[in-house]
Amino acid sequence: MHDDIAEVLISTEMLQARVAELGACITEHYRDAAEQTTDGKHEGVTLITILSGSIVFLSDLIRHLPIRMNLGLITVSSYPGPAITSQGTRVEDVSLPDVRNRRVLIVDDILDTGGTLRAVQKLLGEAGAADVRTVVLLRKQSKAPADVPVEYVGFDVDDHFVVGYGLDYDGHYRNLPFIGTLKPSVLGEAK
Ligand code: IMP
Ligand code: MG
């Protein structure tokens, strides 16, 4: 599997250090939810994860968030099968706690065209969420649209197709512990 990688763009060590920094920034914003009270005064935060690419990032990030939280899951597909360009956003499954008047943090792997986050931000707004913020591990800055607000960004990357740390190509490579690019021979005739 590692033989298919052309270049490691972000090492395991860089990922771990940056995720810890993001955790500290996010905890600072939600500091009133930092104490794990159960007296009802601190409602905490709902983290909404966009499956499947964000699972590795989420699982590392939440261990740097000592705040009261619950989780919701949304499955969105935009790169079906061996596609390496967005084929349009489709919300496939929604498993959400009640987010009305809740503070919500959307956790996503990568901001590319913004179609995914635009759809999820709209859906959460319509569900009555308050203070919707977004964290992405990666942002393809050349494409990121101005109308999709993202408060926290791990790394800006060039417009390459990347895999690893949750990100896949045709369902594979999510388990690589770094972010890298694939050899052109692996991408073949992908679009
Ligand atoms: P957007 O809707 O175009 O912003 O695309 C966002 C989604 O497409 C991400 O959450 C990823 O799941 C997927 N995606 C975008 N770029 C890449 C990439 O370079 N590698 C793997 N998946 C990607
Ligand atoms: Mg995704």
Side-chain angles (χ1 to χ4, degrees):
M1 191 173 65
H2 289 221
D3 291 347
D4 295 346
I5 298 301
E7 191 187 350
V8 175
L9 296 179
I10 306 172
S11 68
T12 303
E13 295 71 25
M14 288 165 74
L15 286 165
Q16 284 172 352
R18 186 66 185 133
V19 171
E21 283 175 6
L22 287 172
C25 289
I26 292 167
T27 302
E28 174 60 20
H29 177 76
Y30 296 114
R31 60 183 173 276
D32 61 328
E35 288 166 28
Q36 298 253 359
T37 59
T38 51
D39 62 8
K41 283 187 188 156
H42 301 298
E43 284 293 316
V45 184
T46 299
L47 268 64
I48 305 290
T49 302
I50 305 177
L51 298 175
S52 303
S54 308
I55 53 173
V56 179
F57 177 40
L58 175 84
S59 66
D60 280 349
L61 181 67
I62 58 174
R63 282 174 281 178
H64 291 283
L65 299 178
I67 59 181
R68 187 172 173 80
M69 68 168 69
N70 61 356
L71 296 178
L73 309 172
I74 297 183
T75 304
V76 177
S77 169
S78 47
Y79 284 51
I84 59 167
T85 54
S86 179
Q87 306 292 302
T89 302
R90 216 175 63 232
V91 176
E92 297 192 329
D93 193 32
V94 178
S95 168
L96 286 185
D98 185 1
V99 294
R100 261 172 305 166
N101 303 318
R102 297 248 334 152
R103 289 179 295 176
V104 167
L105 177 68
I106 303 169
V107 180
D108 201 10
D109 51 3
I110 184 165
L111 174 64
D112 183 14
T113 65
T116 302
L117 283 172
R118 190 181 290 113
V120 172
Q121 288 174 349
K122 180 165 176 273
L123 187 150
L124 291 170
E126 287 168 2
D131 186 47
V132 177
R133 297 173 84 86
T134 301
V135 54
V136 293
L137 178 68
L138 306 175
R139 175 172 62 184
K140 291 185 186 170
Q141 205 176 8
S142 57
K143 290 206 210 155
D147 67 318
V148 179
V150 173
E151 285 74 20
Y152 309 99
V153 177
F155 300 90
D156 281 310
V157 291
D158 291 338
D159 191 11
H160 307 295
F161 190 79
V162 295
V163 294
Y165 199 70
L167 289 142
D168 74 304
Y169 168 61
D170 200 12
H172 302 289
Y173 307 104
R174 294 194 197 277
N175 52 330
L176 289 173
F178 51 78
I179 301 280
T181 53
L182 286 170
K183 289 179 179 163
S185 56
V186 178
L187 291 172
E189 293 175 7
K191 295 198 172 55

